[in-house]
Amino acid sequence: MPIDFRTDPSRYRHWRLACEGPVATLSMDVDPAASLFPECELKLNSYDLGVDIELADAVQRLRFEHPEVRVVVLRSAKPAVFCAGANIRMLGRASHGHKVNFCKFTNETRIAIEEAAAESHQPWLAVLHAPAAGGGYELALACAHIMLIDDRRAAVSLPEVPLLGVLPATGGLTRLTDKRRVRRDRADVFCTTEEGVRGRRAQEWGLIDELVPPSRWEDAVAARAGALAATSDRPAEARGIALTPLERSITDTTIDYPHLHVALDRPGKRATFTLRGPDRAPADLHAEGAASWPLAAARALDDAILHLRINEASLGLWVLRTEGDPATILATDTLLAADDWLAREIRLFWKRVLKRLDVSSRSLIALIEPGSCFAGTLAELAFVADRAVMHAGAEGNAPARLTLGACNFGSYKMGNGLTRLATRFLGAPDAEAAAHAAIGQALDADSADALGLITESIDPIDWDDTIRLLLDERASFSPDALSALEANLRFAGPETMETRIFGRLSAWQNWVFQRPGAAGDAGALHRYGSGTKPEFDPERV
Amino acid sequence: MPIDFRTDPSRYRHWRLACEGPVATLSMDVDPAASLFPECELKLNSYDLGVDIELADAVQRLRFEHPEVRVVVLRSAKPAVFCAGANIRMLGRASHGHKVNFCKFTNETRIAIEEAAAESHQPWLAVLHAPAAGGGYELALACAHIMLIDDRRAAVSLPEVPLLGVLPATGGLTRLTDKRRVRRDRADVFCTTEEGVRGRRAQEWGLIDELVPPSRWEDAVAARAGALAATSDRPAEARGIALTPLERSITDTTIDYPHLHVALDRPGKRATFTLRGPDRAPADLHAEGAASWPLAAARALDDAILHLRINEASLGLWVLRTEGDPATILATDTLLAADDWLAREIRLFWKRVLKRLDVSSRSLIALIEPGSCFAGTLAELAFVADRAVMHAGAEGNAPARLTLGACNFGSYKMGNGLTRLATRFLGAPDAEAAAHAAIGQALDADSADALGLITESIDPIDWDDTIRLLLDERASFSPDALSALEANLRFAGPETMETRIFGRLSAWQNWVFQRPGAAGDAGALHRYGSGTKPEFDPERV
């Protein structure tokens, strides 16, 4: 059974979402019996991918369906625990690939929580009335403010190293050093102390923001939620956009959504995405809601990425194609540039979807052909790709063309804080200005090549052979070496907390996830809870 | 047989060093029969750790023994090849730990080549008269200027991904994107094209700096060497300092150098370094030369680090102790601060040695005890450590004390471009100013704790038990998880090309080095040259 990323609050097994005016409360109440892996009991609000899929859905709906929500209070519905982190039995049983994908998705969701605060002015408040361990504390770290009750029991901890022989890898280490700037020796003590840190020391070390005695707890939570809500500019009177169920049909060789067709070629180890541009620019984004092209197409692309990542791991090459009328997508982009909460949310959603592509461990090849629609927002697919090759001719009246829009110079920043064009032209700053001057021009292959926007312009007579050779050759290389290569080449320029999470931290965790001391039969993930100590090779590498 | 990092030009098997006034020529001429692994033939100037040990020695001697050298011309003595990179047979046979250590050491050496240009004004010139592949091109990338002959044969290439299923991991990917700012799609094409790139395309893509026709080759090399030499401020009339053979005696449980004692505790899985401060400040650094304390102690520490890293992998915990008179090390530091080429070289050497500790995959615990000498340069050992614990009492007249010097605020920057104190206090900038105001004060444990300079002050009555528990607990954790933890916590703050090489790039390469497609029996490293294609798991992770 493929894992399905589509859900909605009526189907949640693990969370309860309640909105009252500007304050939403999201309560974690994991159903121990409802794991994706039937043999793993999700005790103590521990989570697996299924729990996190619901969390990601809630993050998304709070932004689109609840423009009036100005603060999200994240609580636990279990009396004795906030959250015990990722389920250890699941980590012990899951394949290497599942573990890596699980961490990637959970990291993306936590970064989306931070983006909600920074860009949509919808901060999250972590309310720790009881212990938050491992991934539970990492979830709190993604919030704008962490409150901890000052009793003898409530503590924050990252016990992965002493207990499990792996890293806290949902951004915990990076958020300690980069976001909270915890002194490195204190971070070392904290991460090697199984029981964690509580009370005044947690506050003094900067592990939490606010320590509250039990007698004032609920009042303090309400006051803090109110204070955070007061900082937001979200529109109190606006009506949300319902994220209606996403239509999708899957066969063995195709996946179809309203604006996206994905062809699966298993012998060729590739999936070809064909994204169709809008037939017309939306008359009114608010009135059309989830049916409007920019929102529907982004949802389709997001779902296809997530589905293929986890359910189709052997399709190592994603070919990116587009179809449609460049003028219509440029007109749609103009609507998206409006100073309006919904336009902002849709822009930010495209930004997140494109960032999912940046961190997908798949080779990305964009084919810019006659009849294609690489313009504005969709032109970004050419810049997200490891290579973009362009047909130097026409079919009938429709030559291949690439059209830049203003959005390519600001709306869709990568994790490194730069646009893809700025990253592309780090070594040639004049090239970015030249590209900017070409906004709105339908560039043919020669012009796009001269501006440095594509990898290669290909003569029509050679197109079929060249593309076939390129895709076949790529599919013949070591999938692992390509994943590692792409992860190093895609992020030139500045590093941010986000690029460090996906670069340094994730790479180390992936390394540990293969080590016998963690993942082996006698390793810590398998031996956890068995009463038998794990076996470690004493050699340092 | 342990691997020995001590050598000198009279013993080189693979290099020839010739100095003529301001120009040194270092010629690579690898002896195929002289590999560290007898079964690996080092054809085509391919290299193993033994070749790189000699290179590192040459880098070091050029700086100390040849103040007059203003440019180093790096050539190959083989007519048909510049350098074919790391020996593939060696990579296929070596243990995971050896491969990781090999890459770490080669990376440190290439960064030292760049530091020679930036800090000692002794730039290296890469002279590629023939193909430079993989690690061969990565060696050129570390030079200040790359010349390529424009014939049909000479090319630069990074064929690791298509040929071997691993990464170019001696900084190649990072130097392409960060140092040379090669456009990412071109970097992708380059790194997946086995035969590499030559001629004008190599220049247009920024892979080299200068393309020269064969008819003008030697003249152009001489002219470029002259031009680089002209930019240097190195003293033409100075006399070099001979790096005399390093005295060392090793038993099963000890390693001794003139100023350093290392005790090896195999059951406890630890090594205890005791570095003795100077008996007196040197009267004249130039006259005392290699015998002077600052140079002799740095050489001892450097050798001990390298020896333990590769020959004592099961000692996962390094305890850092000092002994001596703080006043004398502070007086010595004053000499090192002089505006003099030798003082500069010794400071830079300490900087490099301390950086080796930063990237050593060992837990580092500093013990600040009565009679210790954590002052100035040696205080840096407390800041390099993952934790520094301090004795809160005295023995006789000698209380434990920590004394800051000006050097702790500027001389010894980490790979991230900041001092260790600045990195430590990223979250508390006022703390750095308070520490600066305490320069020269002999701080007791309470004062050091109040200034945030130590992890913990420990009561004398608890000292023995606390230290024993701390060291035993650390030794009980997963060695891999600790390596990964420490690599993430040691480098808060900005990223540089250097931290990216050791963080992102090395972590990905270490991951790939464990994957069956690379290191397995049917993997690319083993199958290389066998005529049988490697087997890859098609799943992307």
Side-chain angles (χ1 to χ4, degrees), chain B residues 214-247:
Chain B
S215 58
R216 292 202 293 109
W217 180 242
E218 286 301 337
D219 289 347
V221 170
R224 180 61 58 186
L228 284 169
T231 67
S232 176
D233 68 351
R234 288 178 72 84
E237 303 304 321
R239 285 191 52 186
I241 298 299
L243 297 178
T244 50
L246 184 65
E247 292 171 52

Side-chain angles (χ1 to χ4, degrees), chain B residues 147-151 203 208 210-221:
Chain B
M147 302 179 74
L148 179 68
I149 201 165
D150 188 17
D151 66 14
Q203 189 162 35
I208 60 160
E210 192 175 354
L211 184 70
V212 182
S215 58
R216 292 202 293 109
W217 180 242
E218 286 301 337
D219 289 347
V221 170

Side-chain angles (χ1 to χ4, degrees), chain A residues 394-399:
Chain A
E395 278 173 16
N397 288 328

Side-chain angles (χ1 to χ4, degrees), chain A residues 183 185 188 192 313 361 363 387 424 454-455 474 480 487 491 493 495 500 504 511 514-515 540-541, chain B residues 183 185 188 192 313 361 363 387 424 454-455 474 480 487 491 493 495 500 504 511 514-515 540-541:
Chain A
R183 222 175 66 198
D185 53 347
D188 182 277
T192 52
S361 58
S363 295
R387 300 196 203 172
R424 182 177 185 85
I454 59 170
T455 312
R474 194 82 177 187
D480 296 327
F491 298 92
E495 293 258 357
R500 278 220 252 207
R504 176 189 295 261
W511 176 76
Q514 288 187 104
R515 301 291 291 162
R540 282 289 191 117
V541 170
Chain B
R183 219 175 67 199
D185 54 346
D188 182 276
T192 51
S361 57
S363 295
R387 299 195 204 175
R424 181 178 186 84
I454 59 169
T455 312
R474 194 83 176 186
D480 296 328
F491 299 93
E495 295 258 354
R500 276 220 252 208
R504 177 188 293 262
W511 176 77
Q514 289 188 102
R515 302 290 293 160
R540 283 287 191 117
V541 169

Side-chain angles (χ1 to χ4, degrees), chain A residues 465-507:
Chain A
D465 283 348
T466 304
I467 300 303
R468 185 173 44 76
L469 282 172
L470 166 60
L471 302 184
D472 287 351
E473 187 191 45
R474 194 82 177 187
S476 75
F477 294 149
S478 157
D480 296 327
L482 286 174
S483 293
L485 176 75
E486 292 151 7
N488 278 281
L489 295 186
R490 288 180 186 168
F491 298 92
E495 293 258 357
T496 62
M497 192 181 74
E498 188 171 332
T499 61
R500 278 220 252 207
I501 286 172
F502 288 116
R504 176 189 295 261
L505 180 64
S506 296

Side-chain angles (χ1 to χ4, degrees), chain A residues 115-202:
Chain A
E115 193 212 46
E119 304 285 347
S120 293
H121 310 141
Q122 191 178 69
W124 286 49
L125 172 63
V127 174
L128 313 188
H129 75 295
Y137 176 51
E138 289 180 301
L139 181 55
L141 281 170
C143 295
H145 190 89
I146 305 176
M147 303 180 73
L148 178 68
I149 200 164
D150 188 17
D151 65 16
R152 293 177 173 274
R153 234 173 33 81
V156 295
S157 65
L158 292 176
E160 285 87 344
V161 169
L163 212 57
L164 304 172
V166 299
L167 292 188
T170 313
L173 300 183
T174 313
R175 286 197 176 83
L176 282 185
T177 57
D178 286 41
K179 184 177 183 178
R180 304 194 68 90
R181 304 195 156 191
V182 174
R183 222 175 66 198
R184 58 171 281 208
D185 53 347
R186 289 172 166 172
D188 182 277
V189 174
F190 177 58
C191 295
T192 52
T193 302
E194 202 178 306
E195 66 274 20
V197 171
R198 61 188 167 82
R200 279 196 198 159
R201 172 173 274 194

Side-chain angles (χ1 to χ4, degrees), chain A residues 96-97 100-101 104 160-162 165-168 173-174 176-178 180-193 269 309 313-317 358 360-363 365 383-388 414 420 423-428 449 451-456 473-474 476-495 499-500 502-512 514-518 536-541, chain B residues 96-97 100-101 104 160-162 165-168 173-174 176-178 180-189 191-193 201 269 309 313-317 358 360-363 365 383-388 414 420 423-428 449 451-456 473-474 476-495 499-500 502-512 514-518 536-541:
Chain A
H96 183 62
V100 170
N101 253 300
K104 186 174 288 174
E160 285 87 344
V161 169
V166 299
L167 292 188
L173 300 183
T174 313
L176 282 185
T177 57
D178 286 41
R180 304 194 68 90
R181 304 195 156 191
V182 174
R183 222 175 66 198
R184 58 171 281 208
D185 53 347
R186 289 172 166 172
D188 182 277
V189 174
F190 177 58
C191 295
T192 52
T193 302
K269 298 180 203 156
R309 269 195 203 163
S314 294
L315 306 179
L317 174 57
D358 290 329
S360 289
S361 58
R362 300 292 189 279
S363 295
I365 310 284
F383 310 136
V384 96
D386 298 302
R387 300 196 203 172
M414 301 170 62
R420 288 179 187 79
T423 305
R424 182 177 185 85
F425 292 134
L426 276 172
D449 197 18
L451 285 168
L453 297 170
I454 59 170
T455 312
E456 203 178 351
E473 187 191 45
R474 194 82 177 187
S476 75
F477 294 149
S478 157
D480 296 327
L482 286 174
S483 293
L485 176 75
E486 292 151 7
N488 278 281
L489 295 186
R490 288 180 186 168
F491 298 92
E495 293 258 357
T499 61
R500 278 220 252 207
F502 288 116
R504 176 189 295 261
L505 180 64
S506 296
W508 280 106
Q509 176 75 318
N510 295 355
W511 176 76
V512 169
Q514 288 187 104
R515 301 291 291 162
F536 298 132
D537 179 345
E539 290 208 358
R540 282 289 191 117
V541 170
Chain B
H96 183 62
V100 170
N101 254 300
K104 188 174 287 175
E160 286 86 345
V161 169
V166 299
L167 292 188
L173 299 184
T174 314
L176 281 186
T177 56
D178 286 43
R180 304 193 68 90
R181 303 195 157 192
V182 175
R183 219 175 67 199
R184 58 169 284 204
D185 54 346
R186 288 172 167 171
D188 182 276
V189 173
C191 295
T192 51
T193 303
R201 173 173 273 196
K269 298 180 201 157
R309 267 196 206 163
S314 294
L315 306 179
L317 175 55
D358 290 328
S360 289
S361 57
R362 300 293 189 279
S363 295
I365 309 284
F383 310 136
V384 96
D386 298 301
R387 299 195 204 175
M414 302 169 61
R420 286 177 191 80
T423 305
R424 181 178 186 84
F425 292 134
L426 276 173
D449 197 19
L451 286 168
L453 297 169
I454 59 169
T455 312
E456 204 178 350
E473 187 191 44
R474 194 83 176 186
S476 75
F477 295 149
S478 156
D480 296 328
L482 286 174
S483 294
L485 176 74
E486 292 151 7
N488 278 282
L489 294 186
R490 288 179 186 169
F491 299 93
E495 295 258 354
T499 60
R500 276 220 252 208
F502 288 116
R504 177 188 293 262
L505 181 63
S506 297
W508 279 105
Q509 177 75 316
N510 295 356
W511 176 77
V512 169
Q514 289 188 102
R515 302 290 293 160
F536 298 132
D537 179 344
E539 290 209 356
R540 283 287 191 117
V541 169

Side-chain angles (χ1 to χ4, degrees), chain A residues 3 37 39-40 49 88-103 309-311 313 509-510 513-514 519 525-526, chain B residues 511 515 537 539-541:
Chain A
I3 292 173
F37 297 77
E39 67 276 25
C40 297
L49 180 58
I88 298 166
R89 208 173 162 84
M90 176 276 291
L91 288 176
R93 301 198 164 205
S95 68
H96 183 62
H98 185 88
K99 282 199 278 285
V100 170
N101 253 300
F102 167 71
C103 288
R309 269 195 203 163
I310 204 143
N311 297 308
Q509 176 75 318
N510 295 355
F513 272 157
Q514 288 187 104
L525 288 175
H526 283 147
Chain B
W511 176 77
R515 302 290 293 160
D537 179 344
E539 290 209 356
R540 283 287 191 117
V541 169

